[in-house]
């Protein structure tokens, strides 16, 4: 984790707006904390100190004021040799 943190300012479906302090990059992975659960999301827009995240899980339970932690890592997936050979 990079130490960049934020708080949810708005929720619209699977889109969550977050006010952050620090540095955030496009396509960076963030986790929205809802109770004991961390919902994985990706930064898809940054405007000033507000970023918009697309959450990849059910957003039920997210509310304004929930905390968000950014990882500093870009969204990625590992491909095995079998998958690479079939492309």
């Amino acid at each position: 984790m990079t130490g960049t943190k934020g708080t949810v300012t708005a929720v619209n479906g699977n889109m969550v707006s977050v006010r952050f302090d620090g540095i955030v990059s496009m396509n960076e992975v963030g986790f929205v904390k809802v109770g004991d659960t961390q919902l994985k999301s990706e930064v898809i827009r940054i405007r000033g100190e507000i970023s918009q995240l697309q959450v990849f899980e059910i957003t039920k339970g997210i509310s304004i004021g929930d905390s968000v932690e950014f990882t500093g890592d870009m969204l990625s997936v590992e491909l095995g040799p079998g998958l690479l050979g079939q492309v």
Side-chain angles (χ1 to χ4, degrees):
M1 302 266 177
T2 62
T4 301
K5 297 184 188 297
T7 55
V8 174
T9 59
V11 181
N12 186 6
N14 69 337
M15 189 75 60
V16 175
S17 295
V18 176
R19 182 177 307 274
F20 62 91
D21 59 348
I23 299 172
V24 173
S25 302
M26 288 293 294
N27 303 326
E28 183 174 344
V29 174
F31 289 96
V32 179
K33 293 186 174 186
V34 180
D36 294 335
T37 307
Q38 292 188 3
L39 304 177
K40 190 172 192 174
S41 59
E42 174 189 14
V43 175
I44 60 170
R45 181 181 295 150
I46 302 171
R47 293 211 171 132
E49 59 186 25
I50 301 289
S51 64
Q52 291 186 317
L53 282 67
Q54 177 180 359
V55 180
F56 297 118
E57 302 178 50
I58 296 173
T59 58
K60 184 177 180 181
I62 297 177
S63 31
I64 294 172
D66 285 345
S67 64
V68 178
E69 286 191 24
F70 296 92
T71 63
D73 298 325
M74 299 297 128
L75 187 65
S76 63
V77 64
E78 289 186 32
L79 299 176
L83 290 173
L84 290 173
Q86 296 176 5
V87 175

